[in-house]
Amino acid sequence: MESNLRRLRKTVRIRNLVSETELSVNNFVLPYFVVEGTKIKDTTSSMPEINKLSLDYLIEDIHDAMENGIRAILLFGVPGLKDEIGSSGYSPDGIIQKSIRKIKDTFKDDLIVMSDVCLCAFTSHGHCGILRNGLIDNEASLEKLSAIALSHAESGADFVCPSAMMDRQVHAIRQSLDSGGFNHTGILGYSAKYASSFYYPFREVLGSQPAFGDRKTYQMDYRSSNQAMIEIEQDIQEGADIIMVKPALSYLDIIFRAKQTYPVPLAAYNVSGEYAMVKSIARNDPVMEKMIALEILTSIKRAGADIIISYFAKKIGNWLNEKSI
Ligand code: PBG
């Protein structure tokens, strides 16, 4: 029998009827870059329309995002001070700690606050761990990452999100949260995080480019997918509540495989380079931007991601309401 597949494509109503993948603003997380000071809104050349905001403006921006349906954010901090051991990353008055307190105080449990737990933004050398004799020392790094995570939990974070790719980081953080009385604070592990050039725009924004070498001794080699499964399995065993694959677009096979293999909620990070790529193709044409972004974000969900972290998240609510896909 000859098939006539075009019957199911005849009208937009029929296409909608048989559609298998639906984006929802509920599943999106909006990342933010917060800086010290007041009344600061620094544009970034590498990521058009993404600004570095001081806390006062950040609160205003979150109000806007919530009007558009966003209920989860992921915070990155640009500290005033960087040193060898990333001290401002775990100071109770660090930029992230102050921000989480103020945000949770303002929005309470109507907004999920997630915080990135890493050292690269806070160290003078820009690496995600602590250096000893020029090498990243795993154990020394775990101690600092646990201190960062605990300080975020104390400030009121709902989920702490370790992204340093140190071995056993989820275990160390889970222990320090539990012994600090933060059994209720969740962990979203950046489980399978690849050493990717798609992070360059982000590093420019955050000023977190490593001063020497690269991140290939801790982030994953993109030629492997088996190791991603081991990383994810370990994170689950160590106590991750949510796992993540990052980046998303060049890693849809990893997302698919993770979803088929593990029943844990799966997040995918649509990273800065993926965002910048769309912006450069769309060249200020908002319709083009929407069409390309929706195609990419739908493919990430179709591959198996339950949660998508994306710089487009603020626009998703409006895009989906326009119903002109
Ligand atoms: C911190 C971190 C990075 C990103 C998220 N957390 C950068 C890196 O690992 O160099 C990248 C996010 C993005 O590109 O949007 N380690």
Side-chain angles (χ1 to χ4, degrees), residues 31 33 47 76 116-121 128 163-164 190 193-194 196 198-203 206 208 210 215 219 246 269-273 311:
F33 301 104
M47 296 177 70
F76 294 96
D116 188 77
V117 173
C118 198
L119 282 153
C120 58
C128 303
S163 69
Y190 284 63
K193 178 175 177 178
Y194 283 86
S196 170
F198 284 98
Y199 307 151
Y200 276 98
F202 171 99
R203 289 180 194 160
L206 215 62
S208 62
R215 304 207 197 289
Q219 297 180 352
K246 178 189 173 190
Y269 200 142
N270 174 223
V271 300
S272 58
Y311 302 96

PDB file of all heavy atoms in Angstrom, residues 31 33 47 76 116-121 128 163-164 190 193-194 196 198-203 206 208 210 215 219 246 269-273 311, ligand 1:
ATOM      1  N   PRO A  31      18.594  32.176  32.602  1.00  0.00           N
ATOM      2  CA  PRO A  31      19.844  32.544  33.281  1.00  0.00           C
ATOM      3  C   PRO A  31      19.989  34.069  33.414  1.00  0.00           C
ATOM      4  O   PRO A  31      19.535  34.808  32.536  1.00  0.00           O
ATOM      5  CB  PRO A  31      20.945  32.016  32.334  1.00  0.00           C
ATOM      6  CG  PRO A  31      20.249  31.235  31.266  1.00  0.00           C
ATOM      7  CD  PRO A  31      18.839  31.731  31.214  1.00  0.00           C
ATOM      8  N   PHE A  33      22.910  37.280  34.739  1.00  0.00           N
ATOM      9  CA  PHE A  33      24.249  37.687  35.194  1.00  0.00           C
ATOM     10  C   PHE A  33      24.084  38.880  36.121  1.00  0.00           C
ATOM     11  O   PHE A  33      23.574  39.921  35.702  1.00  0.00           O
ATOM     12  CB  PHE A  33      25.121  38.096  34.002  1.00  0.00           C
ATOM     13  CG  PHE A  33      25.299  36.999  32.993  1.00  0.00           C
ATOM     14  CD1 PHE A  33      24.604  37.008  31.789  1.00  0.00           C
ATOM     15  CD2 PHE A  33      26.173  35.945  33.254  1.00  0.00           C
ATOM     16  CE1 PHE A  33      24.770  35.989  30.858  1.00  0.00           C
ATOM     17  CE2 PHE A  33      26.344  34.911  32.323  1.00  0.00           C
ATOM     18  CZ  PHE A  33      25.635  34.937  31.126  1.00  0.00           C
ATOM     19  N   MET A  47      26.694  38.662  23.473  1.00  0.00           N
ATOM     20  CA  MET A  47      25.343  38.099  23.589  1.00  0.00           C
ATOM     21  C   MET A  47      24.307  39.220  23.477  1.00  0.00           C
ATOM     22  O   MET A  47      23.870  39.770  24.497  1.00  0.00           O
ATOM     23  CB  MET A  47      25.189  37.359  24.918  1.00  0.00           C
ATOM     24  CG  MET A  47      26.098  36.149  25.040  1.00  0.00           C
ATOM     25  SD  MET A  47      25.940  35.353  26.634  1.00  0.00           S
ATOM     26  CE  MET A  47      24.304  34.635  26.513  1.00  0.00           C
ATOM     27  N   PHE A  76      24.189  33.677  37.818  1.00  0.00           N
ATOM     28  CA  PHE A  76      25.650  33.731  37.708  1.00  0.00           C
ATOM     29  C   PHE A  76      26.095  35.073  38.257  1.00  0.00           C
ATOM     30  O   PHE A  76      25.454  36.091  37.980  1.00  0.00           O
ATOM     31  CB  PHE A  76      26.092  33.627  36.246  1.00  0.00           C
ATOM     32  CG  PHE A  76      25.770  32.300  35.632  1.00  0.00           C
ATOM     33  CD1 PHE A  76      24.620  32.124  34.882  1.00  0.00           C
ATOM     34  CD2 PHE A  76      26.629  31.223  35.819  1.00  0.00           C
ATOM     35  CE1 PHE A  76      24.320  30.885  34.320  1.00  0.00           C
ATOM     36  CE2 PHE A  76      26.339  29.976  35.257  1.00  0.00           C
ATOM     37  CZ  PHE A  76      25.183  29.818  34.505  1.00  0.00           C
ATOM     38  N   ASP A 116      24.442  28.805  40.055  1.00  0.00           N
ATOM     39  CA  ASP A 116      25.588  28.081  39.513  1.00  0.00           C
ATOM     40  C   ASP A 116      26.657  27.957  40.600  1.00  0.00           C
ATOM     41  O   ASP A 116      26.991  28.940  41.266  1.00  0.00           O
ATOM     42  CB  ASP A 116      26.148  28.864  38.316  1.00  0.00           C
ATOM     43  CG  ASP A 116      27.207  28.096  37.564  1.00  0.00           C
ATOM     44  OD1 ASP A 116      26.832  27.191  36.800  1.00  0.00           O
ATOM     45  OD2 ASP A 116      28.404  28.407  37.718  1.00  0.00           O
ATOM     46  N   VAL A 117      27.155  26.750  40.798  1.00  0.00           N
ATOM     47  CA  VAL A 117      28.204  26.528  41.799  1.00  0.00           C
ATOM     48  C   VAL A 117      29.501  26.158  41.078  1.00  0.00           C
ATOM     49  O   VAL A 117      29.665  25.043  40.592  1.00  0.00           O
ATOM     50  CB  VAL A 117      27.794  25.421  42.790  1.00  0.00           C
ATOM     51  CG1 VAL A 117      28.949  25.077  43.726  1.00  0.00           C
ATOM     52  CG2 VAL A 117      26.567  25.842  43.590  1.00  0.00           C
ATOM     53  N   CYS A 118      30.372  27.153  40.978  1.00  0.00           N
ATOM     54  CA  CYS A 118      31.647  26.931  40.295  1.00  0.00           C
ATOM     55  C   CYS A 118      32.655  27.950  40.816  1.00  0.00           C
ATOM     56  O   CYS A 118      32.289  28.898  41.517  1.00  0.00           O
ATOM     57  CB  CYS A 118      31.481  27.084  38.785  1.00  0.00           C
ATOM     58  SG  CYS A 118      32.850  26.341  37.861  1.00  0.00           S
ATOM     59  N   LEU A 119      33.918  27.766  40.456  1.00  0.00           N
ATOM     60  CA  LEU A 119      34.945  28.696  40.925  1.00  0.00           C
ATOM     61  C   LEU A 119      35.429  29.652  39.845  1.00  0.00           C
ATOM     62  O   LEU A 119      36.009  30.699  40.144  1.00  0.00           O
ATOM     63  CB  LEU A 119      36.127  27.906  41.503  1.00  0.00           C
ATOM     64  CG  LEU A 119      35.880  27.366  42.918  1.00  0.00           C
ATOM     65  CD1 LEU A 119      36.707  26.121  43.185  1.00  0.00           C
ATOM     66  CD2 LEU A 119      36.174  28.438  43.963  1.00  0.00           C
ATOM     67  N   CYS A 120      35.164  29.334  38.567  1.00  0.00           N
ATOM     68  CA  CYS A 120      35.822  30.082  37.480  1.00  0.00           C
ATOM     69  C   CYS A 120      35.544  31.582  37.478  1.00  0.00           C
ATOM     70  O   CYS A 120      36.408  32.373  37.088  1.00  0.00           O
ATOM     71  CB  CYS A 120      35.495  29.471  36.126  1.00  0.00           C
ATOM     72  SG  CYS A 120      33.740  29.402  35.745  1.00  0.00           S
ATOM     73  N   ALA A 121      34.351  31.990  37.923  1.00  0.00           N
ATOM     74  CA  ALA A 121      34.053  33.424  37.925  1.00  0.00           C
ATOM     75  C   ALA A 121      34.763  34.138  39.079  1.00  0.00           C
ATOM     76  O   ALA A 121      34.870  35.365  39.093  1.00  0.00           O
ATOM     77  CB  ALA A 121      32.546  33.641  38.027  1.00  0.00           C
ATOM     78  N   CYS A 128      37.999  26.321  37.013  1.00  0.00           N
ATOM     79  CA  CYS A 128      36.827  25.940  37.798  1.00  0.00           C
ATOM     80  C   CYS A 128      37.192  25.239  39.108  1.00  0.00           C
ATOM     81  O   CYS A 128      36.319  24.784  39.843  1.00  0.00           O
ATOM     82  CB  CYS A 128      35.919  25.041  36.965  1.00  0.00           C
ATOM     83  SG  CYS A 128      35.393  25.813  35.419  1.00  0.00           S
ATOM     84  N   SER A 163      28.793  23.061  38.499  1.00  0.00           N
ATOM     85  CA  SER A 163      29.166  23.017  37.077  1.00  0.00           C
ATOM     86  C   SER A 163      30.667  22.894  36.869  1.00  0.00           C
ATOM     87  O   SER A 163      31.166  23.085  35.769  1.00  0.00           O
ATOM     88  CB  SER A 163      28.655  24.274  36.372  1.00  0.00           C
ATOM     89  OG  SER A 163      29.355  25.415  36.803  1.00  0.00           O
ATOM     90  N   ALA A 164      31.415  22.561  37.950  1.00  0.00           N
ATOM     91  CA  ALA A 164      32.882  22.582  37.855  1.00  0.00           C
ATOM     92  C   ALA A 164      33.467  21.315  37.250  1.00  0.00           C
ATOM     93  O   ALA A 164      34.637  21.293  36.868  1.00  0.00           O
ATOM     94  CB  ALA A 164      33.481  22.813  39.234  1.00  0.00           C
ATOM     95  N   TYR A 190      25.351  19.554  36.771  1.00  0.00           N
ATOM     96  CA  TYR A 190      25.777  19.675  35.367  1.00  0.00           C
ATOM     97  C   TYR A 190      26.531  18.374  35.095  1.00  0.00           C
ATOM     98  O   TYR A 190      27.765  18.350  35.079  1.00  0.00           O
ATOM     99  CB  TYR A 190      26.745  20.829  35.180  1.00  0.00           C
ATOM    100  CG  TYR A 190      26.224  22.249  35.158  1.00  0.00           C
ATOM    101  CD1 TYR A 190      25.608  22.826  36.253  1.00  0.00           C
ATOM    102  CD2 TYR A 190      26.420  23.040  34.018  1.00  0.00           C
ATOM    103  CE1 TYR A 190      25.193  24.160  36.220  1.00  0.00           C
ATOM    104  CE2 TYR A 190      26.012  24.372  33.980  1.00  0.00           C
ATOM    105  CZ  TYR A 190      25.404  24.922  35.085  1.00  0.00           C
ATOM    106  OH  TYR A 190      25.013  26.230  35.044  1.00  0.00           O
ATOM    107  N   LYS A 193      28.883  17.644  31.168  1.00  0.00           N
ATOM    108  CA  LYS A 193      29.248  18.967  30.660  1.00  0.00           C
ATOM    109  C   LYS A 193      30.508  18.822  29.818  1.00  0.00           C
ATOM    110  O   LYS A 193      31.563  18.424  30.313  1.00  0.00           O
ATOM    111  CB  LYS A 193      29.493  19.922  31.832  1.00  0.00           C
ATOM    112  CG  LYS A 193      29.931  21.301  31.373  1.00  0.00           C
ATOM    113  CD  LYS A 193      30.053  22.265  32.539  1.00  0.00           C
ATOM    114  CE  LYS A 193      30.563  23.606  32.073  1.00  0.00           C
ATOM    115  NZ  LYS A 193      30.644  24.577  33.172  1.00  0.00           N
ATOM    116  N   TYR A 194      30.353  19.130  28.541  1.00  0.00           N
ATOM    117  CA  TYR A 194      31.455  18.954  27.595  1.00  0.00           C
ATOM    118  C   TYR A 194      32.349  20.195  27.550  1.00  0.00           C
ATOM    119  O   TYR A 194      31.869  21.318  27.744  1.00  0.00           O
ATOM    120  CB  TYR A 194      30.891  18.666  26.207  1.00  0.00           C
ATOM    121  CG  TYR A 194      30.401  17.246  26.059  1.00  0.00           C
ATOM    122  CD1 TYR A 194      29.108  16.894  26.432  1.00  0.00           C
ATOM    123  CD2 TYR A 194      31.253  16.258  25.591  1.00  0.00           C
ATOM    124  CE1 TYR A 194      28.667  15.579  26.313  1.00  0.00           C
ATOM    125  CE2 TYR A 194      30.824  14.942  25.471  1.00  0.00           C
ATOM    126  CZ  TYR A 194      29.535  14.613  25.831  1.00  0.00           C
ATOM    127  OH  TYR A 194      29.105  13.315  25.716  1.00  0.00           O
ATOM    128  N   SER A 196      33.498  22.778  25.643  1.00  0.00           N
ATOM    129  CA  SER A 196      32.881  23.251  24.409  1.00  0.00           C
ATOM    130  C   SER A 196      33.268  24.679  24.078  1.00  0.00           C
ATOM    131  O   SER A 196      33.314  25.544  24.949  1.00  0.00           O
ATOM    132  CB  SER A 196      31.359  23.168  24.560  1.00  0.00           C
ATOM    133  OG  SER A 196      30.710  23.823  23.489  1.00  0.00           O
ATOM    134  N   PHE A 198      31.349  26.457  22.448  1.00  0.00           N
ATOM    135  CA  PHE A 198      30.088  27.199  22.481  1.00  0.00           C
ATOM    136  C   PHE A 198      29.936  28.033  23.762  1.00  0.00           C
ATOM    137  O   PHE A 198      28.962  28.742  23.926  1.00  0.00           O
ATOM    138  CB  PHE A 198      28.899  26.239  22.345  1.00  0.00           C
ATOM    139  CG  PHE A 198      28.684  25.736  20.949  1.00  0.00           C
ATOM    140  CD1 PHE A 198      29.166  24.497  20.554  1.00  0.00           C
ATOM    141  CD2 PHE A 198      28.007  26.504  20.015  1.00  0.00           C
ATOM    142  CE1 PHE A 198      28.963  24.029  19.261  1.00  0.00           C
ATOM    143  CE2 PHE A 198      27.797  26.043  18.722  1.00  0.00           C
ATOM    144  CZ  PHE A 198      28.277  24.809  18.341  1.00  0.00           C
ATOM    145  N   TYR A 199      30.876  27.912  24.701  1.00  0.00           N
ATOM    146  CA  TYR A 199      30.791  28.717  25.931  1.00  0.00           C
ATOM    147  C   TYR A 199      31.496  30.067  25.795  1.00  0.00           C
ATOM    148  O   TYR A 199      31.460  30.875  26.712  1.00  0.00           O
ATOM    149  CB  TYR A 199      31.433  28.008  27.140  1.00  0.00           C
ATOM    150  CG  TYR A 199      30.952  26.602  27.420  1.00  0.00           C
ATOM    151  CD1 TYR A 199      31.799  25.671  28.025  1.00  0.00           C
ATOM    152  CD2 TYR A 199      29.653  26.203  27.115  1.00  0.00           C
ATOM    153  CE1 TYR A 199      31.379  24.385  28.295  1.00  0.00           C
ATOM    154  CE2 TYR A 199      29.228  24.901  27.378  1.00  0.00           C
ATOM    155  CZ  TYR A 199      30.098  24.002  27.970  1.00  0.00           C
ATOM    156  OH  TYR A 199      29.689  22.721  28.242  1.00  0.00           O
ATOM    157  N   TYR A 200      32.161  30.303  24.661  1.00  0.00           N
ATOM    158  CA  TYR A 200      32.975  31.518  24.561  1.00  0.00           C
ATOM    159  C   TYR A 200      32.233  32.816  24.835  1.00  0.00           C
ATOM    160  O   TYR A 200      32.725  33.672  25.587  1.00  0.00           O
ATOM    161  CB  TYR A 200      33.744  31.567  23.240  1.00  0.00           C
ATOM    162  CG  TYR A 200      35.022  30.787  23.348  1.00  0.00           C
ATOM    163  CD1 TYR A 200      35.108  29.489  22.885  1.00  0.00           C
ATOM    164  CD2 TYR A 200      36.137  31.336  23.987  1.00  0.00           C
ATOM    165  CE1 TYR A 200      36.271  28.739  23.025  1.00  0.00           C
ATOM    166  CE2 TYR A 200      37.299  30.607  24.123  1.00  0.00           C
ATOM    167  CZ  TYR A 200      37.363  29.307  23.648  1.00  0.00           C
ATOM    168  OH  TYR A 200      38.507  28.576  23.799  1.00  0.00           O
ATOM    169  N   PRO A 201      31.037  33.013  24.249  1.00  0.00           N
ATOM    170  CA  PRO A 201      30.347  34.280  24.534  1.00  0.00           C
ATOM    171  C   PRO A 201      30.088  34.474  26.033  1.00  0.00           C
ATOM    172  O   PRO A 201      30.267  35.567  26.574  1.00  0.00           O
ATOM    173  CB  PRO A 201      29.027  34.141  23.755  1.00  0.00           C
ATOM    174  CG  PRO A 201      29.328  33.156  22.669  1.00  0.00           C
ATOM    175  CD  PRO A 201      30.303  32.190  23.269  1.00  0.00           C
ATOM    176  N   PHE A 202      29.717  33.397  26.709  1.00  0.00           N
ATOM    177  CA  PHE A 202      29.468  33.444  28.153  1.00  0.00           C
ATOM    178  C   PHE A 202      30.735  33.867  28.905  1.00  0.00           C
ATOM    179  O   PHE A 202      30.698  34.705  29.797  1.00  0.00           O
ATOM    180  CB  PHE A 202      29.022  32.050  28.609  1.00  0.00           C
ATOM    181  CG  PHE A 202      28.924  31.831  30.098  1.00  0.00           C
ATOM    182  CD1 PHE A 202      27.698  31.915  30.745  1.00  0.00           C
ATOM    183  CD2 PHE A 202      30.052  31.521  30.858  1.00  0.00           C
ATOM    184  CE1 PHE A 202      27.599  31.680  32.110  1.00  0.00           C
ATOM    185  CE2 PHE A 202      29.960  31.298  32.223  1.00  0.00           C
ATOM    186  CZ  PHE A 202      28.732  31.382  32.846  1.00  0.00           C
ATOM    187  N   ARG A 203      31.854  33.285  28.529  1.00  0.00           N
ATOM    188  CA  ARG A 203      33.102  33.603  29.239  1.00  0.00           C
ATOM    189  C   ARG A 203      33.499  35.060  29.023  1.00  0.00           C
ATOM    190  O   ARG A 203      34.092  35.677  29.910  1.00  0.00           O
ATOM    191  CB  ARG A 203      34.225  32.671  28.779  1.00  0.00           C
ATOM    192  CG  ARG A 203      34.013  31.264  29.273  1.00  0.00           C
ATOM    193  CD  ARG A 203      35.123  30.359  28.820  1.00  0.00           C
ATOM    194  NE  ARG A 203      34.755  28.969  29.012  1.00  0.00           N
ATOM    195  CZ  ARG A 203      35.333  27.947  28.383  1.00  0.00           C
ATOM    196  NH1 ARG A 203      36.313  28.179  27.533  1.00  0.00           N
ATOM    197  NH2 ARG A 203      34.946  26.728  28.611  1.00  0.00           N
ATOM    198  N   LEU A 206      31.211  36.974  31.414  1.00  0.00           N
ATOM    199  CA  LEU A 206      31.552  36.782  32.826  1.00  0.00           C
ATOM    200  C   LEU A 206      33.024  37.093  33.122  1.00  0.00           C
ATOM    201  O   LEU A 206      33.406  37.250  34.276  1.00  0.00           O
ATOM    202  CB  LEU A 206      31.264  35.317  33.195  1.00  0.00           C
ATOM    203  CG  LEU A 206      30.751  35.037  34.599  1.00  0.00           C
ATOM    204  CD1 LEU A 206      29.410  35.723  34.802  1.00  0.00           C
ATOM    205  CD2 LEU A 206      30.569  33.535  34.828  1.00  0.00           C
ATOM    206  N   SER A 208      35.448  34.987  32.525  1.00  0.00           N
ATOM    207  CA  SER A 208      35.904  33.761  33.194  1.00  0.00           C
ATOM    208  C   SER A 208      36.735  32.861  32.292  1.00  0.00           C
ATOM    209  O   SER A 208      36.830  31.656  32.517  1.00  0.00           O
ATOM    210  CB  SER A 208      34.689  32.976  33.712  1.00  0.00           C
ATOM    211  OG  SER A 208      33.866  32.582  32.630  1.00  0.00           O
ATOM    212  N   PRO A 210      39.856  30.991  31.166  1.00  0.00           N
ATOM    213  CA  PRO A 210      41.041  30.606  31.943  1.00  0.00           C
ATOM    214  C   PRO A 210      42.305  31.368  31.486  1.00  0.00           C
ATOM    215  O   PRO A 210      42.494  31.585  30.293  1.00  0.00           O
ATOM    216  CB  PRO A 210      41.188  29.096  31.680  1.00  0.00           C
ATOM    217  CG  PRO A 210      40.242  28.749  30.601  1.00  0.00           C
ATOM    218  CD  PRO A 210      39.244  29.857  30.453  1.00  0.00           C
ATOM    219  N   ARG A 215      39.909  23.854  29.662  1.00  0.00           N
ATOM    220  CA  ARG A 215      39.157  23.116  30.676  1.00  0.00           C
ATOM    221  C   ARG A 215      39.082  21.622  30.373  1.00  0.00           C
ATOM    222  O   ARG A 215      38.246  20.917  30.906  1.00  0.00           O
ATOM    223  CB  ARG A 215      37.742  23.685  30.777  1.00  0.00           C
ATOM    224  CG  ARG A 215      37.645  25.177  31.072  1.00  0.00           C
ATOM    225  CD  ARG A 215      36.346  25.494  31.792  1.00  0.00           C
ATOM    226  NE  ARG A 215      35.979  26.901  31.784  1.00  0.00           N
ATOM    227  CZ  ARG A 215      36.603  27.850  32.468  1.00  0.00           C
ATOM    228  NH1 ARG A 215      37.656  27.559  33.202  1.00  0.00           N
ATOM    229  NH2 ARG A 215      36.170  29.099  32.399  1.00  0.00           N
ATOM    230  N   GLN A 219      36.329  19.167  32.037  1.00  0.00           N
ATOM    231  CA  GLN A 219      35.121  19.030  31.228  1.00  0.00           C
ATOM    232  C   GLN A 219      35.322  17.903  30.208  1.00  0.00           C
ATOM    233  O   GLN A 219      36.440  17.559  29.857  1.00  0.00           O
ATOM    234  CB  GLN A 219      34.808  20.359  30.532  1.00  0.00           C
ATOM    235  CG  GLN A 219      34.513  21.463  31.550  1.00  0.00           C
ATOM    236  CD  GLN A 219      34.192  22.798  30.906  1.00  0.00           C
ATOM    237  OE1 GLN A 219      34.319  22.989  29.706  1.00  0.00           O
ATOM    238  NE2 GLN A 219      33.788  23.750  31.739  1.00  0.00           N
ATOM    239  N   LYS A 246      25.035  19.347  28.667  1.00  0.00           N
ATOM    240  CA  LYS A 246      25.414  20.688  28.249  1.00  0.00           C
ATOM    241  C   LYS A 246      26.656  20.651  27.361  1.00  0.00           C
ATOM    242  O   LYS A 246      27.602  19.945  27.729  1.00  0.00           O
ATOM    243  CB  LYS A 246      25.697  21.512  29.510  1.00  0.00           C
ATOM    244  CG  LYS A 246      26.154  22.917  29.235  1.00  0.00           C
ATOM    245  CD  LYS A 246      26.606  23.581  30.504  1.00  0.00           C
ATOM    246  CE  LYS A 246      27.214  24.910  30.147  1.00  0.00           C
ATOM    247  NZ  LYS A 246      27.878  25.545  31.223  1.00  0.00           N
ATOM    248  N   TYR A 269      21.142  22.472  28.611  1.00  0.00           N
ATOM    249  CA  TYR A 269      21.526  23.889  28.617  1.00  0.00           C
ATOM    250  C   TYR A 269      21.782  24.346  27.181  1.00  0.00           C
ATOM    251  O   TYR A 269      22.743  23.932  26.550  1.00  0.00           O
ATOM    252  CB  TYR A 269      22.779  24.082  29.482  1.00  0.00           C
ATOM    253  CG  TYR A 269      23.010  25.497  29.974  1.00  0.00           C
ATOM    254  CD1 TYR A 269      23.498  25.741  31.253  1.00  0.00           C
ATOM    255  CD2 TYR A 269      22.747  26.605  29.170  1.00  0.00           C
ATOM    256  CE1 TYR A 269      23.718  27.039  31.716  1.00  0.00           C
ATOM    257  CE2 TYR A 269      22.957  27.899  29.618  1.00  0.00           C
ATOM    258  CZ  TYR A 269      23.446  28.098  30.890  1.00  0.00           C
ATOM    259  OH  TYR A 269      23.670  29.386  31.344  1.00  0.00           O
ATOM    260  N   ASN A 270      20.878  25.204  26.699  1.00  0.00           N
ATOM    261  CA  ASN A 270      21.003  25.847  25.385  1.00  0.00           C
ATOM    262  C   ASN A 270      21.952  27.040  25.597  1.00  0.00           C
ATOM    263  O   ASN A 270      21.534  28.129  25.939  1.00  0.00           O
ATOM    264  CB  ASN A 270      19.576  26.289  24.980  1.00  0.00           C
ATOM    265  CG  ASN A 270      19.473  27.102  23.724  1.00  0.00           C
ATOM    266  OD1 ASN A 270      18.732  28.082  23.692  1.00  0.00           O
ATOM    267  ND2 ASN A 270      20.172  26.738  22.690  1.00  0.00           N
ATOM    268  N   VAL A 271      23.250  26.800  25.386  1.00  0.00           N
ATOM    269  CA  VAL A 271      24.285  27.703  25.906  1.00  0.00           C
ATOM    270  C   VAL A 271      24.481  28.980  25.086  1.00  0.00           C
ATOM    271  O   VAL A 271      23.894  29.151  24.019  1.00  0.00           O
ATOM    272  CB  VAL A 271      25.647  26.977  26.056  1.00  0.00           C
ATOM    273  CG1 VAL A 271      25.522  25.799  27.007  1.00  0.00           C
ATOM    274  CG2 VAL A 271      26.184  26.548  24.699  1.00  0.00           C
ATOM    275  N   SER A 272      25.379  29.825  25.599  1.00  0.00           N
ATOM    276  CA  SER A 272      25.598  31.165  25.040  1.00  0.00           C
ATOM    277  C   SER A 272      25.939  31.159  23.549  1.00  0.00           C
ATOM    278  O   SER A 272      25.438  31.978  22.786  1.00  0.00           O
ATOM    279  CB  SER A 272      26.709  31.869  25.821  1.00  0.00           C
ATOM    280  OG  SER A 272      27.908  31.110  25.782  1.00  0.00           O
ATOM    281  N   GLY A 273      26.778  30.222  23.112  1.00  0.00           N
ATOM    282  CA  GLY A 273      27.170  30.177  21.700  1.00  0.00           C
ATOM    283  C   GLY A 273      25.995  29.793  20.811  1.00  0.00           C
ATOM    284  O   GLY A 273      25.889  30.256  19.671  1.00  0.00           O
ATOM    285  N   TYR A 311      18.691  31.354  27.156  1.00  0.00           N
ATOM    286  CA  TYR A 311      18.651  32.819  27.172  1.00  0.00           C
ATOM    287  C   TYR A 311      17.435  33.348  26.414  1.00  0.00           C
ATOM    288  O   TYR A 311      17.143  34.531  26.482  1.00  0.00           O
ATOM    289  CB  TYR A 311      19.963  33.381  26.590  1.00  0.00           C
ATOM    290  CG  TYR A 311      21.166  32.887  27.379  1.00  0.00           C
ATOM    291  CD1 TYR A 311      21.891  31.775  26.960  1.00  0.00           C
ATOM    292  CD2 TYR A 311      21.525  33.491  28.579  1.00  0.00           C
ATOM    293  CE1 TYR A 311      22.964  31.277  27.699  1.00  0.00           C
ATOM    294  CE2 TYR A 311      22.588  33.012  29.326  1.00  0.00           C
ATOM    295  CZ  TYR A 311      23.304  31.905  28.875  1.00  0.00           C
ATOM    296  OH  TYR A 311      24.348  31.423  29.619  1.00  0.00           O
TER     297      TYR A 311
HETATM  298  C1  PBG B   1      30.864  27.758  34.747  1.00  0.00           C
HETATM  299  C2  PBG B   1      29.901  27.746  33.629  1.00  0.00           C
HETATM  300  C3  PBG B   1      30.108  27.957  32.262  1.00  0.00           C
HETATM  301  C4  PBG B   1      28.837  27.950  31.671  1.00  0.00           C
HETATM  302  C5  PBG B   1      27.916  27.681  32.687  1.00  0.00           C
HETATM  303  N1  PBG B   1      28.595  27.552  33.879  1.00  0.00           N
HETATM  304  C6  PBG B   1      31.338  28.279  31.485  1.00  0.00           C
HETATM  305  C7  PBG B   1      32.446  27.343  31.380  1.00  0.00           C
HETATM  306  O1  PBG B   1      32.381  26.194  31.824  1.00  0.00           O
HETATM  307  O2  PBG B   1      33.474  27.791  30.862  1.00  0.00           O
HETATM  308  C8  PBG B   1      28.535  28.200  30.228  1.00  0.00           C
HETATM  309  C9  PBG B   1      27.159  28.696  29.930  1.00  0.00           C
HETATM  310  C10 PBG B   1      26.956  29.239  28.578  1.00  0.00           C
HETATM  311  O3  PBG B   1      27.840  29.184  27.692  1.00  0.00           O
HETATM  312  O4  PBG B   1      25.847  29.760  28.350  1.00  0.00           O
HETATM  313  N2  PBG B   1      31.781  26.746  34.776  1.00  0.00           N
END
